[in-house]
Amino acid sequence: MLKFALRRTAQALLVFVIVTFLCYVALYQLGNPFASLGENRVLPPETQAILREKFKLDQPLLAQYLNYLGNLFTGDLGIDYDKRLPVVEMIAHTVPNTMRLAVLAVALQLVIGICAGVLAAVRQGSFTDALISVSAITLMSVPLIVTAAALRDTFNGTRVLGITLFPQLPRTIAVEVHWYDELLLPAFALALGGTAFIARMTRTTMLEVLESDYVRTARAKGLRPRTVLYKHALRNAVIPIANIAAIELGVLLGGAIIVETIFQYDGVGYLFARSLRALNAPLLMAIMSYMVVAFVVLIALLDILCAYLDPRLRID
């Protein structure tokens, strides 16, 4: 088991190095991060040379990248080009918001998706099964940007009994919005596609498990249908769903750029979108690096956990 864990850790490190190196080359070598300050304000060549020397971009490529890796692991990622604030502080401000959004979205996906999938499997061939299947396929086919924009335009500023359920967009500085007020609608929009996929996958795995030998044996023993369904069938059917949920959490923690931008949600994805419009290289590179870290670490931990639970997955 230790050998397998070390091998997966080495693979994760290799993926991290390759992806961050390619991102670094794309941002700092194929482009010029000091060409302008935005709004068509072009910097003189002398100023660009001074900035390149200040940010150690006048060194060989390998030295630049190794210097960046050292700064990445020490948390010293330099100063943002636009607001002149430490990059780490700007990211640290948005990470809790994205984590709340990602966790709530995954929770909604699991609860709604598993319940819908189990219901469709139990009532196979019925109108309920057809309705859930058609709805899931429809949601999976519609682009995320369309569903998010539709939800924003439909429920923007919705009030019930004098209580604002969803804040008005675009935001105004004078109106204070609590984090829990602006969280539910983006999380629901972000969860829709994954919910449909989990519902379809749960239905398929449940149908396979319900036809297995140990489920038939449990029924032959006279166990109640609910006990057979939840204690024996569902318990084994959710194993692949857990793998999907872990991968989905890694993707969402990296930043749900589309949803956060549409809802002006102050998370990592919205920060990335604003940085991309301004071509803010230090902030872009830092966000992409931590996206890779979040995804690679979760996938590696998931592989190690699965190998621990099922020794057949280990490669000698």
Short mmCIF file of all heavy atoms in Angstrom, two decimals, residues 90-158:
data_model
loop_
_atom_site.label_atom_id
_atom_site.label_comp_id
_atom_site.label_asym_id
_atom_site.label_seq_id
_atom_site.Cartn_x
_atom_site.Cartn_y
_atom_site.Cartn_z
N MET A 90 -5.28 38.35 -2.20
CA MET A 90 -6.44 38.42 -3.07
C MET A 90 -7.06 37.04 -3.26
O MET A 90 -8.28 36.89 -3.27
CB MET A 90 -6.04 39.01 -4.43
CG MET A 90 -5.52 40.44 -4.35
SD MET A 90 -5.09 41.12 -5.96
CE MET A 90 -6.71 41.21 -6.73
N ILE A 91 -6.22 36.01 -3.39
CA ILE A 91 -6.74 34.66 -3.56
C ILE A 91 -7.33 34.15 -2.24
O ILE A 91 -8.41 33.53 -2.23
CB ILE A 91 -5.63 33.72 -4.04
CG1 ILE A 91 -5.16 34.13 -5.44
CG2 ILE A 91 -6.11 32.27 -4.06
CD1 ILE A 91 -4.04 33.29 -5.99
N ALA A 92 -6.65 34.42 -1.13
CA ALA A 92 -7.14 33.96 0.17
C ALA A 92 -8.50 34.56 0.51
O ALA A 92 -9.31 33.93 1.20
CB ALA A 92 -6.13 34.30 1.26
N HIS A 93 -8.77 35.76 0.01
CA HIS A 93 -10.07 36.39 0.26
C HIS A 93 -11.21 35.66 -0.45
O HIS A 93 -12.35 35.63 0.05
CB HIS A 93 -10.02 37.86 -0.20
CG HIS A 93 -11.35 38.54 -0.15
ND1 HIS A 93 -11.97 38.90 1.03
CD2 HIS A 93 -12.19 38.92 -1.16
CE1 HIS A 93 -13.14 39.48 0.75
NE2 HIS A 93 -13.29 39.50 -0.56
N THR A 94 -10.91 35.08 -1.62
CA THR A 94 -11.97 34.46 -2.43
C THR A 94 -12.10 32.95 -2.23
O THR A 94 -13.15 32.39 -2.53
CB THR A 94 -11.71 34.73 -3.92
OG1 THR A 94 -10.42 34.22 -4.27
CG2 THR A 94 -11.74 36.23 -4.20
N VAL A 95 -11.05 32.29 -1.74
CA VAL A 95 -11.08 30.83 -1.60
C VAL A 95 -12.21 30.34 -0.70
O VAL A 95 -12.93 29.39 -1.07
CB VAL A 95 -9.72 30.31 -1.10
CG1 VAL A 95 -9.83 28.86 -0.62
CG2 VAL A 95 -8.69 30.38 -2.23
N PRO A 96 -12.46 30.93 0.48
CA PRO A 96 -13.58 30.43 1.30
C PRO A 96 -14.93 30.51 0.58
O PRO A 96 -15.77 29.61 0.74
CB PRO A 96 -13.55 31.35 2.53
CG PRO A 96 -12.15 31.83 2.61
CD PRO A 96 -11.70 31.98 1.19
N ASN A 97 -15.13 31.55 -0.21
CA ASN A 97 -16.40 31.68 -0.94
C ASN A 97 -16.55 30.56 -1.96
O ASN A 97 -17.63 29.96 -2.10
CB ASN A 97 -16.46 33.04 -1.64
CG ASN A 97 -16.45 34.19 -0.66
OD1 ASN A 97 -16.90 34.05 0.47
ND2 ASN A 97 -15.93 35.33 -1.08
N THR A 98 -15.49 30.27 -2.71
CA THR A 98 -15.55 29.20 -3.70
C THR A 98 -15.71 27.84 -3.03
O THR A 98 -16.42 26.96 -3.55
CB THR A 98 -14.29 29.21 -4.58
OG1 THR A 98 -14.27 30.42 -5.34
CG2 THR A 98 -14.27 28.03 -5.53
N MET A 99 -15.08 27.64 -1.89
CA MET A 99 -15.23 26.37 -1.18
C MET A 99 -16.67 26.17 -0.72
O MET A 99 -17.23 25.07 -0.85
CB MET A 99 -14.28 26.33 0.03
CG MET A 99 -12.82 26.21 -0.34
SD MET A 99 -11.74 26.03 1.10
CE MET A 99 -12.28 24.45 1.73
N ARG A 100 -17.30 27.22 -0.20
CA ARG A 100 -18.70 27.11 0.19
C ARG A 100 -19.58 26.79 -1.02
O ARG A 100 -20.48 25.94 -0.95
CB ARG A 100 -19.17 28.41 0.85
CG ARG A 100 -18.71 28.60 2.29
CD ARG A 100 -19.44 29.74 2.95
NE ARG A 100 -18.98 31.02 2.44
CZ ARG A 100 -18.11 31.82 3.07
NH1 ARG A 100 -17.60 31.43 4.23
NH2 ARG A 100 -17.76 32.97 2.56
N LEU A 101 -19.32 27.47 -2.12
CA LEU A 101 -20.10 27.23 -3.34
C LEU A 101 -19.92 25.81 -3.84
O LEU A 101 -20.90 25.13 -4.20
CB LEU A 101 -19.67 28.23 -4.42
CG LEU A 101 -20.35 28.10 -5.78
CD1 LEU A 101 -21.84 28.39 -5.67
CD2 LEU A 101 -19.70 29.04 -6.79
N ALA A 102 -18.67 25.33 -3.87
CA ALA A 102 -18.39 23.99 -4.38
C ALA A 102 -19.00 22.91 -3.50
O ALA A 102 -19.62 21.95 -3.99
CB ALA A 102 -16.89 23.78 -4.51
N VAL A 103 -18.85 23.03 -2.19
CA VAL A 103 -19.38 22.02 -1.27
C VAL A 103 -20.90 21.97 -1.34
O VAL A 103 -21.50 20.88 -1.38
CB VAL A 103 -18.91 22.31 0.17
CG1 VAL A 103 -19.63 21.41 1.17
CG2 VAL A 103 -17.40 22.12 0.29
N LEU A 104 -21.55 23.13 -1.38
CA LEU A 104 -23.02 23.14 -1.46
C LEU A 104 -23.49 22.57 -2.80
O LEU A 104 -24.48 21.82 -2.85
CB LEU A 104 -23.55 24.56 -1.28
CG LEU A 104 -25.07 24.72 -1.35
CD1 LEU A 104 -25.75 23.83 -0.31
CD2 LEU A 104 -25.48 26.17 -1.16
N ALA A 105 -22.78 22.90 -3.89
CA ALA A 105 -23.17 22.37 -5.21
C ALA A 105 -23.04 20.86 -5.25
O ALA A 105 -23.93 20.16 -5.75
CB ALA A 105 -22.31 23.02 -6.29
N VAL A 106 -21.95 20.33 -4.71
CA VAL A 106 -21.77 18.87 -4.69
C VAL A 106 -22.81 18.20 -3.80
O VAL A 106 -23.35 17.13 -4.13
CB VAL A 106 -20.35 18.51 -4.23
CG1 VAL A 106 -20.21 17.01 -4.02
CG2 VAL A 106 -19.32 18.97 -5.27
N ALA A 107 -23.12 18.84 -2.66
CA ALA A 107 -24.15 18.28 -1.77
C ALA A 107 -25.51 18.22 -2.47
O ALA A 107 -26.24 17.22 -2.37
CB ALA A 107 -24.24 19.11 -0.50
N LEU A 108 -25.86 19.29 -3.20
CA LEU A 108 -27.11 19.28 -3.95
C LEU A 108 -27.11 18.21 -5.04
O LEU A 108 -28.11 17.52 -5.25
CB LEU A 108 -27.34 20.66 -4.58
CG LEU A 108 -27.68 21.80 -3.62
CD1 LEU A 108 -27.73 23.13 -4.36
CD2 LEU A 108 -29.02 21.54 -2.93
N GLN A 109 -25.98 18.06 -5.72
CA GLN A 109 -25.87 17.03 -6.74
C GLN A 109 -26.10 15.65 -6.17
O GLN A 109 -26.84 14.83 -6.75
CB GLN A 109 -24.49 17.10 -7.40
CG GLN A 109 -24.26 18.30 -8.28
CD GLN A 109 -22.86 18.34 -8.85
OE1 GLN A 109 -22.04 17.47 -8.57
NE2 GLN A 109 -22.57 19.36 -9.64
N LEU A 110 -25.48 15.36 -5.03
CA LEU A 110 -25.59 14.03 -4.44
C LEU A 110 -27.01 13.76 -3.93
O LEU A 110 -27.59 12.69 -4.20
CB LEU A 110 -24.58 13.89 -3.30
CG LEU A 110 -23.11 13.82 -3.71
CD1 LEU A 110 -22.22 13.80 -2.48
CD2 LEU A 110 -22.84 12.60 -4.57
N VAL A 111 -27.56 14.71 -3.19
CA VAL A 111 -28.89 14.48 -2.61
C VAL A 111 -29.95 14.34 -3.70
O VAL A 111 -30.71 13.36 -3.74
CB VAL A 111 -29.25 15.63 -1.64
CG1 VAL A 111 -30.69 15.49 -1.17
CG2 VAL A 111 -28.31 15.62 -0.44
N ILE A 112 -30.02 15.33 -4.59
CA ILE A 112 -31.06 15.30 -5.63
C ILE A 112 -30.79 14.20 -6.64
O ILE A 112 -31.69 13.46 -7.05
CB ILE A 112 -31.14 16.68 -6.32
CG1 ILE A 112 -31.48 17.77 -5.31
CG2 ILE A 112 -32.20 16.64 -7.43
CD1 ILE A 112 -31.48 19.17 -5.89
N GLY A 113 -29.53 14.06 -7.07
CA GLY A 113 -29.20 13.09 -8.10
C GLY A 113 -29.41 11.65 -7.65
O GLY A 113 -29.99 10.84 -8.38
N ILE A 114 -28.96 11.32 -6.43
CA ILE A 114 -29.13 9.95 -5.94
C ILE A 114 -30.59 9.62 -5.71
O ILE A 114 -31.07 8.54 -6.07
CB ILE A 114 -28.30 9.75 -4.66
CG1 ILE A 114 -26.80 9.78 -4.99
CG2 ILE A 114 -28.66 8.43 -3.98
CD1 ILE A 114 -25.90 9.66 -3.78
N CYS A 115 -31.34 10.56 -5.12
CA CYS A 115 -32.77 10.31 -4.89
C CYS A 115 -33.51 10.10 -6.21
O CYS A 115 -34.33 9.18 -6.35
CB CYS A 115 -33.39 11.47 -4.12
SG CYS A 115 -32.84 11.60 -2.40
N ALA A 116 -33.22 10.94 -7.20
CA ALA A 116 -33.87 10.81 -8.50
C ALA A 116 -33.47 9.51 -9.19
O ALA A 116 -34.31 8.82 -9.79
CB ALA A 116 -33.54 12.01 -9.39
N GLY A 117 -32.19 9.15 -9.10
CA GLY A 117 -31.73 7.92 -9.74
C GLY A 117 -32.33 6.67 -9.10
O GLY A 117 -32.71 5.73 -9.81
N VAL A 118 -32.41 6.66 -7.79
CA VAL A 118 -33.01 5.50 -7.09
C VAL A 118 -34.50 5.39 -7.44
O VAL A 118 -35.01 4.29 -7.69
CB VAL A 118 -32.81 5.64 -5.57
CG1 VAL A 118 -33.63 4.59 -4.83
CG2 VAL A 118 -31.33 5.51 -5.22
N LEU A 119 -35.18 6.52 -7.46
CA LEU A 119 -36.60 6.51 -7.79
C LEU A 119 -36.83 5.99 -9.22
O LEU A 119 -37.75 5.19 -9.47
CB LEU A 119 -37.18 7.91 -7.64
CG LEU A 119 -38.68 8.07 -7.90
CD1 LEU A 119 -39.48 7.23 -6.91
CD2 LEU A 119 -39.09 9.54 -7.80
N ALA A 120 -35.98 6.42 -10.15
CA ALA A 120 -36.11 5.96 -11.53
C ALA A 120 -35.84 4.47 -11.66
O ALA A 120 -36.50 3.76 -12.42
CB ALA A 120 -35.18 6.75 -12.44
N ALA A 121 -34.85 3.97 -10.90
CA ALA A 121 -34.51 2.55 -10.97
C ALA A 121 -35.60 1.68 -10.35
O ALA A 121 -35.95 0.62 -10.89
CB ALA A 121 -33.18 2.30 -10.25
N VAL A 122 -36.14 2.12 -9.22
CA VAL A 122 -37.19 1.34 -8.56
C VAL A 122 -38.45 1.28 -9.41
O VAL A 122 -39.14 0.25 -9.45
CB VAL A 122 -37.49 1.94 -7.17
CG1 VAL A 122 -38.71 1.28 -6.54
CG2 VAL A 122 -36.29 1.78 -6.26
N ARG A 123 -38.74 2.37 -10.12
CA ARG A 123 -39.94 2.43 -10.96
C ARG A 123 -39.55 2.33 -12.44
O ARG A 123 -40.02 3.10 -13.27
CB ARG A 123 -40.70 3.71 -10.69
CG ARG A 123 -41.14 3.85 -9.25
CD ARG A 123 -42.05 5.02 -9.03
NE ARG A 123 -42.48 5.11 -7.65
CZ ARG A 123 -43.34 6.04 -7.19
NH1 ARG A 123 -43.84 6.94 -8.03
NH2 ARG A 123 -43.68 6.06 -5.92
N GLN A 124 -38.67 1.42 -12.73
CA GLN A 124 -38.20 1.24 -14.11
C GLN A 124 -39.36 1.00 -15.07
O GLN A 124 -40.24 0.18 -14.83
CB GLN A 124 -37.23 0.06 -14.17
CG GLN A 124 -36.64 -0.19 -15.56
CD GLN A 124 -35.79 -1.43 -15.59
OE1 GLN A 124 -35.76 -2.21 -14.63
NE2 GLN A 124 -35.09 -1.64 -16.69
N GLY A 125 -39.33 1.73 -16.19
CA GLY A 125 -40.35 1.58 -17.21
C GLY A 125 -41.61 2.38 -16.98
O GLY A 125 -42.50 2.39 -17.84
N SER A 126 -41.71 3.07 -15.85
CA SER A 126 -42.91 3.84 -15.55
C SER A 126 -42.77 5.27 -16.10
O SER A 126 -41.74 5.67 -16.63
CB SER A 126 -43.14 3.89 -14.04
OG SER A 126 -42.09 4.61 -13.41
N PHE A 127 -43.85 6.04 -15.93
CA PHE A 127 -43.83 7.44 -16.35
C PHE A 127 -42.79 8.22 -15.55
O PHE A 127 -42.12 9.12 -16.08
CB PHE A 127 -45.21 8.06 -16.16
CG PHE A 127 -45.25 9.54 -16.43
CD1 PHE A 127 -45.24 10.02 -17.73
CD2 PHE A 127 -45.27 10.44 -15.37
CE1 PHE A 127 -45.26 11.40 -17.98
CE2 PHE A 127 -45.29 11.81 -15.61
CZ PHE A 127 -45.29 12.29 -16.91
N THR A 128 -42.66 7.92 -14.25
CA THR A 128 -41.67 8.59 -13.41
C THR A 128 -40.26 8.35 -13.93
O THR A 128 -39.44 9.28 -14.01
CB THR A 128 -41.79 8.09 -11.96
OG1 THR A 128 -43.10 8.34 -11.47
CG2 THR A 128 -40.78 8.80 -11.07
N ASP A 129 -39.96 7.12 -14.31
CA ASP A 129 -38.65 6.79 -14.87
C ASP A 129 -38.40 7.58 -16.15
O ASP A 129 -37.32 8.15 -16.35
CB ASP A 129 -38.58 5.29 -15.13
CG ASP A 129 -37.23 4.86 -15.70
OD1 ASP A 129 -36.24 5.61 -15.52
OD2 ASP A 129 -37.16 3.79 -16.32
N ALA A 130 -39.39 7.62 -17.03
CA ALA A 130 -39.23 8.35 -18.29
C ALA A 130 -39.05 9.85 -18.05
O ALA A 130 -38.21 10.49 -18.70
CB ALA A 130 -40.45 8.11 -19.19
N LEU A 131 -39.82 10.39 -17.10
CA LEU A 131 -39.72 11.82 -16.80
C LEU A 131 -38.34 12.17 -16.26
O LEU A 131 -37.73 13.18 -16.68
CB LEU A 131 -40.81 12.21 -15.80
CG LEU A 131 -40.83 13.68 -15.36
CD1 LEU A 131 -41.09 14.59 -16.55
CD2 LEU A 131 -41.87 13.90 -14.26
N ILE A 132 -37.82 11.38 -15.33
CA ILE A 132 -36.50 11.65 -14.76
C ILE A 132 -35.42 11.50 -15.82
O ILE A 132 -34.49 12.32 -15.91
CB ILE A 132 -36.24 10.71 -13.57
CG1 ILE A 132 -37.18 11.05 -12.41
CG2 ILE A 132 -34.79 10.80 -13.11
CD1 ILE A 132 -37.08 10.11 -11.24
N SER A 133 -35.52 10.48 -16.66
CA SER A 133 -34.52 10.26 -17.69
C SER A 133 -34.50 11.39 -18.71
O SER A 133 -33.43 11.89 -19.08
CB SER A 133 -34.78 8.92 -18.40
OG SER A 133 -34.69 7.84 -17.47
N VAL A 134 -35.68 11.81 -19.17
CA VAL A 134 -35.75 12.90 -20.14
C VAL A 134 -35.25 14.21 -19.54
O VAL A 134 -34.51 14.97 -20.18
CB VAL A 134 -37.19 13.06 -20.67
CG1 VAL A 134 -37.33 14.32 -21.51
CG2 VAL A 134 -37.60 11.85 -21.47
N SER A 135 -35.63 14.48 -18.30
CA SER A 135 -35.17 15.70 -17.63
C SER A 135 -33.66 15.70 -17.46
O SER A 135 -32.99 16.73 -17.67
CB SER A 135 -35.85 15.84 -16.27
OG SER A 135 -37.25 15.88 -16.40
N ALA A 136 -33.10 14.55 -17.10
CA ALA A 136 -31.64 14.47 -16.91
C ALA A 136 -30.91 14.69 -18.22
O ALA A 136 -29.92 15.43 -18.28
CB ALA A 136 -31.29 13.11 -16.31
N ILE A 137 -31.38 14.06 -19.28
CA ILE A 137 -30.72 14.23 -20.58
C ILE A 137 -30.82 15.68 -21.06
O ILE A 137 -29.88 16.24 -21.62
CB ILE A 137 -31.34 13.26 -21.62
CG1 ILE A 137 -31.04 11.81 -21.22
CG2 ILE A 137 -30.81 13.54 -23.02
CD1 ILE A 137 -31.72 10.78 -22.09
N THR A 138 -31.97 16.30 -20.82
CA THR A 138 -32.15 17.70 -21.21
C THR A 138 -31.19 18.61 -20.47
O THR A 138 -30.54 19.48 -21.07
CB THR A 138 -33.60 18.14 -20.95
OG1 THR A 138 -34.49 17.29 -21.67
CG2 THR A 138 -33.81 19.58 -21.39
N LEU A 139 -31.08 18.42 -19.15
CA LEU A 139 -30.17 19.25 -18.36
C LEU A 139 -28.72 19.04 -18.75
O LEU A 139 -27.91 19.97 -18.76
CB LEU A 139 -30.36 18.95 -16.86
CG LEU A 139 -31.67 19.46 -16.24
CD1 LEU A 139 -31.77 18.98 -14.79
CD2 LEU A 139 -31.75 20.97 -16.31
N MET A 140 -28.35 17.81 -19.08
CA MET A 140 -26.99 17.53 -19.50
C MET A 140 -26.68 18.12 -20.87
O MET A 140 -25.51 18.40 -21.18
CB MET A 140 -26.76 16.01 -19.53
CG MET A 140 -26.77 15.36 -18.16
SD MET A 140 -26.81 13.55 -18.24
CE MET A 140 -25.28 13.20 -19.09
N SER A 141 -27.70 18.34 -21.69
CA SER A 141 -27.50 18.85 -23.04
C SER A 141 -27.41 20.38 -23.09
O SER A 141 -26.81 20.93 -24.01
CB SER A 141 -28.64 18.38 -23.95
OG SER A 141 -28.73 16.97 -23.96
N VAL A 142 -28.03 21.04 -22.13
CA VAL A 142 -28.05 22.51 -22.14
C VAL A 142 -26.73 23.02 -21.57
O VAL A 142 -26.32 22.60 -20.48
CB VAL A 142 -29.24 23.04 -21.31
CG1 VAL A 142 -29.23 24.56 -21.28
CG2 VAL A 142 -30.55 22.53 -21.89
N PRO A 143 -26.06 23.96 -22.24
CA PRO A 143 -24.80 24.51 -21.72
C PRO A 143 -25.01 25.19 -20.37
O PRO A 143 -26.06 25.79 -20.10
CB PRO A 143 -24.38 25.51 -22.79
CG PRO A 143 -25.08 25.07 -24.04
CD PRO A 143 -26.38 24.48 -23.58
N LEU A 144 -23.99 25.13 -19.54
CA LEU A 144 -24.06 25.72 -18.20
C LEU A 144 -24.32 27.21 -18.26
O LEU A 144 -25.07 27.75 -17.45
CB LEU A 144 -22.75 25.44 -17.45
CG LEU A 144 -22.60 26.07 -16.07
CD1 LEU A 144 -23.69 25.58 -15.13
CD2 LEU A 144 -21.23 25.77 -15.49
N ILE A 145 -23.74 27.89 -19.23
CA ILE A 145 -23.91 29.34 -19.32
C ILE A 145 -25.37 29.71 -19.57
O ILE A 145 -25.86 30.74 -19.11
CB ILE A 145 -22.98 29.92 -20.42
CG1 ILE A 145 -23.00 31.45 -20.37
CG2 ILE A 145 -23.36 29.40 -21.79
CD1 ILE A 145 -21.99 32.08 -21.29
N VAL A 146 -26.09 28.84 -20.29
CA VAL A 146 -27.50 29.11 -20.59
C VAL A 146 -28.36 28.93 -19.34
O VAL A 146 -29.19 29.78 -19.01
CB VAL A 146 -27.99 28.19 -21.72
CG1 VAL A 146 -29.49 28.37 -21.95
CG2 VAL A 146 -27.22 28.47 -23.00
N THR A 147 -28.17 27.82 -18.63
CA THR A 147 -28.97 27.58 -17.43
C THR A 147 -28.67 28.61 -16.35
O THR A 147 -29.59 29.09 -15.67
CB THR A 147 -28.69 26.17 -16.88
OG1 THR A 147 -27.29 26.01 -16.65
CG2 THR A 147 -29.15 25.11 -17.88
N ALA A 148 -27.41 28.98 -16.20
CA ALA A 148 -27.06 29.97 -15.17
C ALA A 148 -27.65 31.33 -15.50
O ALA A 148 -28.21 32.01 -14.63
CB ALA A 148 -25.54 30.07 -15.06
N ALA A 149 -27.56 31.74 -16.76
CA ALA A 149 -28.12 33.03 -17.15
C ALA A 149 -29.64 33.03 -17.01
O ALA A 149 -30.24 34.04 -16.60
CB ALA A 149 -27.71 33.36 -18.58
N ALA A 150 -30.28 31.91 -17.36
CA ALA A 150 -31.75 31.82 -17.23
C ALA A 150 -32.18 31.92 -15.78
O ALA A 150 -33.15 32.62 -15.44
CB ALA A 150 -32.23 30.52 -17.86
N LEU A 151 -31.49 31.23 -14.88
CA LEU A 151 -31.82 31.30 -13.45
C LEU A 151 -31.59 32.70 -12.90
O LEU A 151 -32.39 33.21 -12.11
CB LEU A 151 -30.98 30.28 -12.68
CG LEU A 151 -31.36 28.81 -12.85
CD1 LEU A 151 -30.34 27.92 -12.16
CD2 LEU A 151 -32.75 28.55 -12.28
N ARG A 152 -30.51 33.34 -13.34
CA ARG A 152 -30.23 34.70 -12.86
C ARG A 152 -31.33 35.67 -13.31
O ARG A 152 -31.83 36.47 -12.52
CB ARG A 152 -28.88 35.17 -13.39
CG ARG A 152 -28.48 36.58 -12.94
CD ARG A 152 -27.42 37.16 -13.83
NE ARG A 152 -27.89 37.27 -15.21
CZ ARG A 152 -27.12 37.63 -16.23
NH1 ARG A 152 -25.84 37.90 -16.03
NH2 ARG A 152 -27.62 37.71 -17.45
N ASP A 153 -31.71 35.60 -14.59
CA ASP A 153 -32.71 36.52 -15.10
C ASP A 153 -34.10 36.24 -14.53
O ASP A 153 -34.92 37.16 -14.37
CB ASP A 153 -32.77 36.44 -16.63
CG ASP A 153 -31.47 36.90 -17.28
OD1 ASP A 153 -30.71 37.62 -16.62
OD2 ASP A 153 -31.20 36.52 -18.44
N THR A 154 -34.39 34.98 -14.21
CA THR A 154 -35.72 34.61 -13.71
C THR A 154 -35.89 34.97 -12.24
O THR A 154 -36.94 35.50 -11.83
CB THR A 154 -35.96 33.10 -13.90
OG1 THR A 154 -35.83 32.77 -15.29
CG2 THR A 154 -37.34 32.72 -13.42
N PHE A 155 -34.87 34.68 -11.43
CA PHE A 155 -35.01 34.85 -9.98
C PHE A 155 -34.23 36.05 -9.44
O PHE A 155 -34.08 36.20 -8.22
CB PHE A 155 -34.54 33.59 -9.26
CG PHE A 155 -35.35 32.38 -9.60
CD1 PHE A 155 -34.88 31.44 -10.51
CD2 PHE A 155 -36.59 32.18 -9.02
CE1 PHE A 155 -35.62 30.31 -10.83
CE2 PHE A 155 -37.35 31.07 -9.33
CZ PHE A 155 -36.87 30.13 -10.24
N ASN A 156 -33.74 36.91 -10.30
CA ASN A 156 -32.97 38.07 -9.89
C ASN A 156 -33.82 39.00 -9.02
O ASN A 156 -34.87 39.49 -9.44
CB ASN A 156 -32.48 38.83 -11.13
CG ASN A 156 -31.52 39.93 -10.77
OD1 ASN A 156 -30.95 39.96 -9.68
ND2 ASN A 156 -31.33 40.86 -11.68
N GLY A 157 -33.39 39.20 -7.78
CA GLY A 157 -34.11 40.10 -6.88
C GLY A 157 -35.44 39.58 -6.40
O GLY A 157 -36.30 40.37 -5.97
N THR A 158 -35.65 38.27 -6.42
CA THR A 158 -36.93 37.69 -5.99
C THR A 158 -37.18 37.94 -4.50
O THR A 158 -36.30 37.72 -3.67
CB THR A 158 -36.95 36.17 -6.27
OG1 THR A 158 -36.76 35.95 -7.67
CG2 THR A 158 -38.26 35.56 -5.82
#
